[in-house]
Amino acid sequence: MQFSKSTGYALHALIHLARAERGQNVGIKELSALLGVSESYLSKIMSKLRQDGVLKAVTGVNGGYELARSADQITFLDIVEIIEGRQQLYDCFNMDEERHQLFFEADPAGAEAERFSVQSKGCLVKKVMDGAEKQMNDYLRRHTIQSVLDSASFDCGHEETNKK
């Protein structure tokens, strides 16, 4: 699985915005130059984040973006779901075809002991994939924009970061 470049740009933009002083918005030109991406492409990403309540857009000559909530309340999972979408990563294929019967657990009711049932406990492969997705989501949920900044400040020997 690979996340899109849009997700990476969104996360980097949010980290930059979190580092800005409270109440100081950052313009799209500055962000696009820092990230090395076109203004129009980044604007589409920022628009999604604004629509989901992660960012506030400030209009006018000195306009730009700022975080709509504190950096410790914005998880990596939030951003992945906004940019990539909120759907399951894996879906078992051909569940209705008999030839794929070994992908499913046996029907415990015993109506057809030798037969496998899609209506039973489900796809064996999907169970593993769902478990992996849950672990990844839990990991992404534990990491916030602020936790990344805190980690970077600690690694650089700084004692305090600018918390929004």
Side-chain angles (χ1 to χ4, degrees), residues 101 105-117:
Q101 64 186 357
E105 287 190 61
D107 184 353
E112 294 179 73
E114 298 294 318
R115 178 133 163 74
F116 285 77
S117 171

Side-chain angles (χ1 to χ4, degrees), residues 112-133:
E112 294 179 73
E114 298 294 318
R115 178 133 163 74
F116 285 77
S117 171
V118 174
Q119 283 74 33
S120 66
K121 294 181 183 176
C123 177
L124 296 172
V125 173
K126 183 165 177 39
K127 285 185 175 190
V128 173
M129 299 303 273
D130 285 352
E133 181 176 349

Side-chain angles (χ1 to χ4, degrees), residues 1 6 68 107 109 133 136 138:
M1 186 188 112
S6 296
D107 184 353
E133 181 176 349
M136 180 186 69
D138 289 346

Side-chain angles (χ1 to χ4, degrees), residues 71-96:
D72 64 348
Q73 294 178 347
I74 302 170
T75 70
F76 272 52
L77 182 61
D78 293 335
I79 306 313
V80 168
E81 288 180 337
I82 290 168
I83 302 298
E84 303 290 335
R86 294 172 174 92
Q87 74 276 349
Q88 287 191 311
L89 299 179
Y90 183 80
D91 192 21
C92 222
F93 60 91
N94 297 322
M95 291 185 7
D96 296 328

Side-chain angles (χ1 to χ4, degrees), residues 4-22:
S4 68
K5 288 182 180 181
S6 296
T7 296
Y9 289 131
L11 290 165
H12 282 91
L14 290 170
I15 288 169
H16 182 74
L17 291 172
R19 292 184 67 205
E21 290 182 33
R22 182 180 288 276

Side-chain angles (χ1 to χ4, degrees), residues 133-146:
E133 181 176 349
K134 181 185 179 321
Q135 287 186 10
M136 180 186 69
N137 287 347
D138 289 346
Y139 183 83
L140 293 173
R141 190 178 291 113
R142 287 191 308 267
H143 289 80
T144 65
I145 299 300
Q146 188 62 54

Side-chain angles (χ1 to χ4, degrees), residues 10-11 46 49 69 77 79 86 102 115 154 159 163:
L11 290 165
M46 302 302 269
L49 297 172
R69 55 188 199 240
L77 182 61
I79 306 313
R86 294 172 174 92
L102 292 178
R115 178 133 163 74
F154 180 75
E159 293 188 17
K163 294 189 180 192

